[in-house]
Amino acid sequence: MADNLIAPALVGAAVLAVGVAAGGAFVGKGVENARVGDRAVTVRGLSERIVKADLAVLPLKFASAGDDLQAVQADVDADTAAVRRFLAAQGYQGSEVDLGRLEVTDQYAREYQQQNVAARYRVAQTVIVRTTNVDRVQATTRQLDQLIRQGVVLQDYNGPSYLFTKLNDVRPAMIAEATASARSGAQQFARDSGSKLGGIRQATQGSFEILGRDDVGYDPSSQVFKKVRVVTTITYRLK
């Protein structure tokens, strides 16, 4: 009777042992796969292209000083008219030329008055050219000596600013280039490590930068040609 009970018990124990062993094997395989799934590589993709500015802003500032405010203002008005005539001769439309800030300084009214002030009043006016004709602005800057010959002395002249405003036109293609560059790097890493490249786990698009084409230490806005750059950071799964 006891032998009859022992036999089924042994069979059951054997079945249980096999089940536990099999279960352990599956668990082990699952951990292995989980670890493989955690393997990843993070790469960066770069896209750069050279573009030409499509907007130019040229501020022309001039001033006059004296003890008679009306006479000083009359001088500034005459310079303003001379600048407008000069710009019209250069081919600018009226809509491309505007008056900027008018500055009037009374030296006697300043909190910290300087000693031996040469002139009581100083009036400064800025005329601003804003145009999409970048080439014309470049030509104009080479002919500003004509204003000097007319007695118009430019103040704080730093040249024009050249801007690129059509970033949306190049954005999609550049993002695609940067993404392709990142994938190419990830594929090379996968081959070198004996892995296969999986899908994207995480992706970050860096901000676009608009730099001067020539890295010569100048203000990028002073350069007509720009370098547009974007860097994407992508994490790929490895399998």
Side-chain angles (χ1 to χ4, degrees), residues 19 22-23 62 122 129 131 155 158 164 167 171 190 213 215 217:
F62 42 90
R122 181 180 184 275
V129 177
T131 177
Q155 306 283 319
N158 294 315
F164 178 67
L167 183 58
R171 185 193 300 270
R213 179 188 62 181
D215 187 12

Side-chain angles (χ1 to χ4, degrees), residues 155-174:
Q155 306 283 319
D156 305 324
Y157 178 72
N158 294 315
S161 293
Y162 298 105
L163 310 173
F164 178 67
T165 66
K166 297 181 179 180
L167 183 58
N168 286 337
D169 292 349
V170 300
R171 185 193 300 270
M174 291 190 65

Side-chain angles (χ1 to χ4, degrees), residues 5 15 37 41 55 58 60-61 78 103 106 124-125 128 136 142 161 163 166 179 195 202 204 207 217 229 236-237:
L5 294 175
V15 172
V41 58
L55 177 65
L58 175 62
L60 300 173
K61 181 179 179 180
E103 304 173 36
D106 183 349
Q125 177 68 67
I128 301 174
R136 177 173 291 161
R142 293 190 287 268
S161 293
L163 310 173
K166 297 181 179 180
T179 302
S195 306
Q202 184 178 0
T204 302
S207 58
R229 172 188 297 168
Y236 289 93
R237 294 183 177 86

Side-chain angles (χ1 to χ4, degrees), residues 1-14:
M1 182 66 177
D3 293 339
N4 293 336
L5 294 175
I6 291 173
L10 291 175
V11 173

Side-chain angles (χ1 to χ4, degrees), residues 56-60 87 92 96-98 127-131 137 140:
V57 180
L58 175 62
L60 300 173
L87 294 175
Y92 295 100
E96 297 176 308
V97 180
D98 197 8
V127 174
I128 301 174
V129 177
R130 183 183 177 89
T131 177
V137 170
T140 298

